[in-house]
Amino acid sequence: MTNRISQRVASVPPSGIRRFFDIAATMPDVISLGIGEPDFVTPDVIRRAGIASLQRGETRYTSNSGTIEMRNAVAAKLAALYGVHYDPETELLITVGVSEALYLAMTAILDPGDEVIVPQPCFVAYTAEVTFAGGIPVPIPTYVETQFQVTAQQIEAAITPRTKALLIGYPNNPTGAVMSHARMAEIAAVAQKHDLIVLSDEIYDRLVYGVEHTCVPALPGMKERTILLGGLSKNYAMTGWRIGYTAAPADLLAAMRKVHQFTIMSAPTTGQMAGVTALSDPSAEEAVHAMIASYDRRRQLIVKGLNEIGLDCFEPQGAFYAFPSVQKTGMSDEEFANGLLQEEHVAVVPGNAFGVGGDGYVRCSYATAYEKIEQALEKMHRFMQRHG
């Protein structure tokens, strides 16, 4: 039998992130600045809520949409933080992380040949999920000169009669960029003018430093055309619990729920019970603020250190990534990352893994201990002295 693999799947290369993790896993003393995962353990009050749920025997499926308690908690949090209001019955769906929410959104809205504008560098799954759903990703690069913020002019220039949606993610992975309110409002105006659906991945919404996050559906006229993707993995250090959510207009949400019903059934029950506590307990909120303060301290250390050793790095204002340029070394981002891993056992991710605009940069996660970041910077300095 020939052509056993679909062209859609075959056309998507393997994740550029996983390859470096696989190599690093064979080296016992690697300092990883690669993985995009909090190094904190899930706060105790949230863990205890999950344990209590198990002890009560809450181990069955929930509603396809998620427990009403979890949906109410998400709705209350979005209203409190951003003043945007969703009906927990018809406009909210609890998912297996944001990754599932992204898959559901693409599958629900795209027909073969529909185009989706995807500013890059971006999370590695964005263009892949567009392709898997039969759509055509239209990448547009962002640049350090505009703090890696896509502009309304760039988006409008990329629109064609086949354009159906815009997929954006701010705070951004891998750059750490945060979209200003003014620029986001300009983008919203373009989306309304051209009747685009906007998919806004706001998984890092709480992890901002000295600036405010702009919630896209909270902008005037945007709730009815925005699919908001969010979750607990990053803000609450709950990656392994696999709890995300999507908030969207009722018609879009119903289509996403239909795909969810036949694909997943429901998000993990224990994770949802813990999630209610994460979103509503004052102790959990205190833990979030403590983690943000720790990330900010590490952010300042790594940005200052990278610039001092000759790796130009703009100041990220969100998430937990620095995105320094390695162009002064004369090496490509792949060569730099490979050399640093082999010679100094420090793992970073080549920028080209994140699409156009990433060439010549590497992603350094500061979601690791302060002391390990200090050690990594010393090792990177040695590497630079040998190759500078």
Side-chain angles (χ1 to χ4, degrees):
M1 181 184 295
T2 58
N3 300 324
R4 287 159 58 100
I5 308 301
S6 78
Q7 291 184 358
R8 289 198 310 277
V9 173
S11 70
V12 175
S15 168
I17 295 180
R18 294 280 12 136
R19 182 165 59 86
F20 276 84
F21 290 166
D22 291 343
I23 296 172
T26 68
M27 307 167 104
D29 58 344
V30 165
I31 297 176
S32 179
L33 302 181
I35 193 164
E37 180 175 36
D39 65 321
F40 296 103
V41 174
T42 304
D44 182 62
V45 66
I46 302 173
R47 283 183 283 135
R48 283 190 276 110
I51 292 168
S53 170
L54 288 172
Q55 291 176 331
R56 290 192 299 269
E58 295 170 340
T59 58
R60 298 179 181 275
Y61 295 131
T62 71
S63 159
N64 290 145
S65 296
T67 68
I68 189 61
E69 293 83 3
M70 183 62 186
R71 283 177 279 146
N72 282 334
V74 172
K77 199 70 170 182
L78 291 172
L81 288 173
Y82 307 118
V84 60
H85 299 274
Y86 286 97
D87 181 351
E89 294 285 352
T90 63
E91 296 180 321
L92 277 168
L93 174 66
I94 309 305
T95 61
V96 183
V98 174
S99 295
E100 191 218 345
L102 178 61
Y103 163 77
L104 297 178
M106 293 303 177
T107 304
I109 70 170
L110 295 182
D111 287 315
D114 285 344
E115 294 178 354
V116 180
I117 295 172
V118 186
Q120 298 183 356
C122 66
F123 179 49
V124 294
Y126 287 179
T127 54
E129 290 291 4
V130 175
T131 302
F132 291 156
I136 300 173
V138 180
I140 53 176
T142 60
Y143 304 100
V144 69
E145 290 78 12
T146 54
Q147 292 75 52
F148 292 107
Q149 298 178 46
V150 67
T151 67
Q153 292 80 11
Q154 286 179 291
I155 292 169
E156 191 153 33
I159 293 172
T160 75
R162 298 304 305 269
T163 305
K164 187 163 191 179
L166 165 67
L167 171 56
I168 54 176
Y170 289 94
N172 180 264
N173 173 9
T175 67
V178 173
M179 181 68 77
S180 71
H181 187 276
R183 278 206 174 117
M184 196 67 88
E186 292 172 354
I187 291 169
V190 170
Q192 293 176 57
K193 175 182 175 182
H194 295 276
D195 193 25
L196 302 182
I197 298 172
V198 176
L199 296 91
S200 184
D201 179 358
E202 302 185 20
I203 185 66
Y204 296 98
D205 66 324
R206 304 295 303 282
L207 303 184
V208 291
Y209 316 101
V211 294
E212 290 188 5
H213 168 68
T214 299
C215 181
V216 173
L219 294 171
M222 288 303 292
K223 181 172 179 283
E224 57 264 32
R225 66 175 61 254
T226 300
I227 298 175
L228 174 64
L229 310 175
L232 308 187
S233 291
K234 312 299 185 179
N235 299 336
Y236 297 90
M238 292 180 67
T239 51
W241 298 78
R242 305 313 301 136
I243 299 297
Y245 61 82
T246 182
D251 61 329
L252 297 177
L253 200 285
M256 294 174 68
R257 187 191 298 114
K258 184 190 298 184
V259 181
H260 175 78
Q261 284 175 331
F262 287 109
T263 307
I264 295 294
M265 182 65 76
S266 63
T269 302
T270 305
Q272 292 189 61
M273 300 305 179
V276 173
T277 296
L279 293 170
S280 60
D281 191 287
S283 297
E285 185 66 16
E286 290 174 8
V288 170
H289 286 287
M291 288 187 283
I292 292 171
S294 179
Y295 287 138
D296 191 17
R297 182 168 174 259
R298 303 175 195 185
R299 177 183 70 100
Q300 295 176 53
L301 169 68
I302 198 168
V303 172
K304 181 174 183 287
L306 289 169
N307 281 309
E308 286 178 348
I309 65 176
L311 295 175
D312 295 339
C313 185
F314 97 112
E315 183 180 356
Q317 295 182 307
F320 36 58
Y321 307 108
F323 202 58
S325 169
V326 300
Q327 295 172 33
K328 285 183 178 178
T329 68
M331 288 181 272
S332 69
D333 47 323
E334 286 270 350
E335 292 167 339
F336 182 93
N338 273 311
L340 183 64
L341 181 60
Q342 296 298 331
E343 295 180 29
E344 292 292 346
H345 293 194
V346 174
V348 298
V349 182
N352 65 13
F354 305 97
V356 297
D359 288 334
Y361 294 84
V362 294
R363 190 188 76 175
C364 304
S365 171
Y366 51 87
T368 191
Y370 191 93
E371 294 75 17
K372 287 189 176 181
I373 295 173
E374 289 181 315
Q375 295 170 22
L377 287 168
E378 291 176 4
K379 289 172 172 285
M380 293 172 81
H381 188 201
R382 286 203 301 265
F383 182 77
M384 290 290 290
Q385 286 179 317
R386 285 197 299 274
H387 296 279

